[in-house]
Amino acid sequence: MTIHITVFIVFYICFRFNSYKRTNIILQHLKMSNHTDAAAEVLLERKGCAGVITLNRPRFLNTLTLGMIRQIYAQLKKWEQDPKTFLIIIKGAGEKAFCAGGDIRALSEARNTNQKMLQDLFREEYILNNAIDSCQKPYIALIHGITMGGGVGVSVHGQFRVATEKSVFAMPETAIGLFPDVGGGYFLPRLQGKLGYFLALTGFRLKGRDVYTAGIATHFVDFEKLGMLEEDLLALKSPSKENIADVLETYHAKSKTDQDKPFILEEHMDKINSWFSANTVEQIVDNLQQDGSSFALEQLKVIKKMSPTSLKITLRQLMEGSSKTLPEVLIMEYRLSQACMKGHDFHEGVRAG
């Protein structure tokens, strides 16, 4: 009997010890998993002749976090100095989005708990936008899928932007009490005619080849060929900027999707140029009302749903930005962003959205 009890006690102690070990192993694994998940928000890899950035939050449409911005900026600067890195490619994980913007809910929630985060995120995001613009290596953004807000900021300032038939571009910030930032005050007024003003104030979405026609993308490639394009870019040996441009141009020339389809706004461009030449939001609204066409009234309906404050800020932002350098625009936009964070419209816009 004593032997049986002793054996049972030994067995019980071993079992408890093994359970303890197993629990610790599981906890360690969970800690590692959490760390890995956080680290994997963005993948930074050297492949062939290139540095490849993959925005890796497909469940959240690859929206940008402060941690991602910091990692991308630090790696961009390293690759810029690395003689073995000849180009930089940025893309989004999954097939739905390149990047749908910044994590606006996190921003709004930080209003009462972390004011410093509100300052840091905008400042560091804009510094990254400027670093992309001044990058010494060819920078290629594969803007397949949804590309909005912050996603535009990490693509449009690069030397090459490749759209596909699934690309969706928009700057929808006036709907949430913000303004089209990330350098929107620089690149939007430089689009053809008053197209940028129209896109900024209405949040109008451009899709597929129209993203290229509008001047947001520099090239258009069929989605099914995008993987092959990336492989051909990675396989280049010590390429020059011209070698890279040649590869992109070859794929662009072969892409036939919607090749003969007119630009969605083509028939309206003369009127858009006229309506949005006004110096005040009130005058733009009057122009749309007086025109009375179905397209004009549709845009009027959209504009009336936007934050009135955002509309006025945005119009002034683009008018001022049209004659400023990108760094000057980003400084202006940082000041505007902090004023918006202190206001009511942005937080209400996020809540309502």
Side-chain angles (χ1 to χ4, degrees):
M1 181 69 180
T2 308
I3 292 169
H4 283 114
I5 291 169
T6 305
V7 169
F8 175 79
I9 290 169
V10 170
F11 175 80
Y12 179 76
I13 291 169
C14 288
F15 174 81
R16 288 301 298 270
F17 178 70
N18 286 334
S19 295
Y20 176 76
K21 271 176 69 179
R22 277 201 305 275
T23 305
N24 265 344
I25 289 165
I26 290 165
L27 286 171
Q28 283 173 359
H29 176 70
L30 286 171
K31 284 179 185 174
M32 285 169 64
S33 295
N34 287 339
H35 175 73
T36 306
D37 286 346
E41 284 186 335
V42 58
L43 307 177
L44 305 162
E45 305 166 284
R46 263 300 310 276
K47 292 182 178 179
C49 66
V52 180
I53 302 163
T54 306
L55 307 175
N56 195 36
R57 301 179 76 213
R59 282 179 56 218
F60 304 99
L61 302 178
N62 297 322
T63 47
L64 290 171
T65 65
L66 179 56
M68 292 166 75
I69 290 163
R70 286 174 170 167
Q71 288 182 68
I72 293 167
Y73 178 79
Q75 191 61 60
L76 187 69
K77 287 299 176 185
K78 285 178 187 172
W79 280 335
E80 209 173 3
Q81 300 302 317
D82 177 16
K84 292 178 182 176
T85 303
F86 290 87
L87 65 141
I88 294 161
I89 295 172
I90 185 167
K91 61 182 181 175
E95 294 189 7
K96 283 188 178 179
F98 166 69
C99 172
D103 192 340
I104 58 168
R105 291 209 174 275
L107 270 178
S108 186
E109 286 163 8
R111 179 192 195 184
N112 299 318
T113 57
N114 192 351
Q115 285 287 328
K116 187 174 183 299
M117 186 258 208
L118 293 179
Q119 295 168 356
D120 289 349
L121 190 139
F122 283 102
R123 185 179 64 250
E124 294 183 43
E125 184 175 17
Y126 297 171
I127 288 170
L128 173 59
N129 299 152
N130 191 60
I132 290 166
D133 177 71
S134 60
C135 185
Q136 298 302 301
K137 302 286 172 76
Y139 182 98
I140 303 160
L142 305 179
I143 54 172
H144 171 72
I146 298 165
T147 305
M148 298 183 184
V152 177
V154 293
S155 57
V156 78
H157 302 298
Q159 194 168 4
F160 302 110
R161 290 93 62 190
V162 182
T164 74
E165 66 272 25
K166 299 291 187 184
S167 295
V168 180
F169 164 90
M171 296 297 280
E173 288 81 1
T174 53
I176 56 162
L178 204 55
F179 58 93
D181 64 336
V182 296
Y186 180 79
F187 76 84
L188 286 166
R190 286 166 173 79
L191 297 178
Q192 56 179 296
K194 294 293 177 179
L195 176 61
Y197 290 78
F198 169 74
L199 296 174
L201 293 168
T202 65
F204 188 89
R205 294 184 176 196
L206 295 172
K207 298 177 182 179
R209 195 176 279 269
D210 287 339
V211 179
Y212 163 74
T213 310
I216 302 299
T218 57
H219 296 82
F220 178 87
V221 173
D222 297 333
F223 172 58
E224 63 177 25
K225 299 285 172 54
L226 203 59
M228 289 168 61
L229 167 63
E230 186 180 345
E231 285 175 19
D232 283 354
L233 288 169
L234 298 178
L236 291 170
K237 304 298 180 191
S238 307
S240 65
K241 185 173 75 176
E242 290 70 28
N243 297 147
I244 294 162
D246 286 346
V247 172
L248 290 168
E249 195 55 45
T250 300
Y251 274 85
H252 173 77
K254 288 178 183 175
S255 295
K256 306 300 182 188
T257 305
D258 294 335
Q259 193 174 34
D260 301 319
K261 192 176 175 184
F263 181 47
I264 192 168
L265 295 170
E266 189 174 299
E267 63 179 300
H268 305 295
M269 277 311 301
D270 288 344
K271 285 191 170 184
I272 286 171
N273 292 340
S274 174
W275 300 332
F276 289 85
S277 290
N279 292 326
T280 66
V281 174
E282 289 84 354
Q283 187 59 56
I284 291 170
V285 167
D286 283 349
N287 291 344
L288 292 168
Q289 279 175 332
Q290 284 172 22
D291 182 279
S293 66
S294 59
F295 182 75
L297 295 177
E298 196 180 321
Q299 304 321 309
L300 182 62
K301 188 177 174 184
V302 169
I303 282 175
K304 285 186 172 180
K305 290 179 181 175
M306 302 303 185
S307 155
T309 306
S310 286
L311 291 170
K312 287 178 175 288
I313 289 171
T314 298
L315 181 58
R316 179 70 183 274
Q317 170 207 3
L318 267 61
M319 290 167 68
E320 294 282 331
S322 64
S323 59
K324 291 182 185 292
T325 64
L326 178 61
E328 287 170 344
V329 166
L330 290 168
I331 289 167
M332 171 181 73
E333 290 180 356
Y334 176 73
R335 291 170 180 159
L336 288 172
S337 74
Q338 296 310 293
C340 286
M341 290 302 104
K342 290 171 186 168
H344 167 268
D345 282 18
F346 172 69
H347 304 284
E348 177 57 26
V350 173
R351 188 199 65 76

